[in-house]
Amino acid sequence: MKILYIGFKPFASHSINPSELLVDELIKNGHNGIVLDVSYEKARKEFEKAYEKANPDFVVITALSPFTNHLTLEQYGYNEMDSIQADNDGVIKTHEVIDEALPKSVATTLDPSCIEQYLASVGITSRVAIDPGRFVCNEIYFLSLCKNNKTLLVHLPLNETHKVEDNLEAFKYIEKYLEGMN
């Protein structure tokens, strides 16, 4: 089973991105992963190269959400970039389509509700959401879903509320769940 783990570098006022810390640890432990720049242009190019090289069975994208206190399992990716937040290149995209030839939204086939229940069974709190926002992580999620619908985006809380060790433990169980699907 091949999983490509994706995280993101710090952005905006966040000097640390827990998704970068998590994916760096996963890479140190022998997993396949990449940390993307929070840049519409660079992230897409870096993702395309990493995906082609990895040819994964599953893609697990991790991204920071300062608006949550627990893991958030995203159901859909949307064919739209629409955020007042500038990326790391200073680019702001509002009401822009990612790719005119692709559908308006795509759902993961990994069933976030089942993953949420599995995590709960081992004492890990998570929740399912249907709107990942329209920033860089959504762009990568949407593009990945269009290549491989066995992709999951997990938004992580700030490190002050959820430590890297907690995230590693949760992702150990997410990987076990995916192994059961393979």
Side-chain angles (χ1 to χ4, degrees):
M1 175 180 75
K2 295 186 287 185
I3 301 173
L4 174 60
Y5 288 101
I6 297 174
F8 290 92
K9 293 179 181 175
F11 65 100
S13 65
H14 308 288
S15 59
I16 296 172
N17 190 328
S19 73
E20 177 181 38
L21 299 176
L22 173 64
V23 172
D24 282 347
E25 285 299 317
L26 290 167
I27 291 169
K28 285 179 193 172
N29 291 325
H31 295 283
N32 189 13
I34 185 169
V35 176
L36 303 176
D37 196 351
V38 179
S39 159
Y40 292 105
E41 182 180 344
K42 292 175 192 165
R44 186 174 188 162
K45 288 177 185 176
E46 293 167 358
F47 164 72
E48 295 288 346
K49 286 180 192 174
Y51 187 90
E52 290 302 316
K53 182 179 176 185
N55 190 27
D57 300 310
F58 300 96
V59 179
V60 178
I61 302 167
T62 65
L64 167 64
S65 174
F67 309 110
T68 187
N69 290 321
H70 46 266
L71 302 177
T72 304
L73 312 169
E74 302 290 352
Q75 179 77 45
Y76 299 98
Y78 295 92
N79 190 0
E80 182 181 31
M81 297 172 286
D82 188 20
S83 177
I84 60 170
Q85 174 66 57
D87 72 3
N88 285 347
D89 295 329
V91 175
I92 296 173
K93 294 196 175 199
T94 56
H95 307 295
E96 289 189 36
V97 173
I98 295 169
D99 188 325
E100 294 283 347
L102 296 174
K104 289 186 180 204
S105 66
V106 181
T108 182
T109 58
L110 295 180
D111 197 345
S113 294
C114 286
I115 297 171
E116 176 187 35
Q117 291 172 14
Y118 179 64
L119 291 173
S121 76
V122 295
I124 297 170
T125 301
S126 63
R127 72 177 179 97
V128 176
I130 59 170
D131 191 345
R134 303 295 185 278
F135 197 43
V136 178
C137 62
N138 172 70
E139 177 186 29
I140 300 306
Y141 189 36
F142 177 78
L143 292 170
S144 186
L145 283 166
C146 289
K147 290 177 175 295
N148 180 345
N149 59 9
K150 292 187 283 186
T151 297
L152 180 66
L153 170 60
V154 181
H155 272 116
L156 307 175
L158 293 166
N159 281 356
E160 293 83 28
T161 60
H162 210 257
K163 303 295 180 213
V164 175
E165 296 79 19
D166 298 332
N167 290 333
L168 282 169
E169 182 73 7
F171 279 78
K172 176 178 82 175
Y173 286 105
I174 290 172
E175 186 170 322
K176 281 183 180 182
Y177 179 87
L178 298 178
E179 284 173 358
M181 294 186 65
N182 205 14

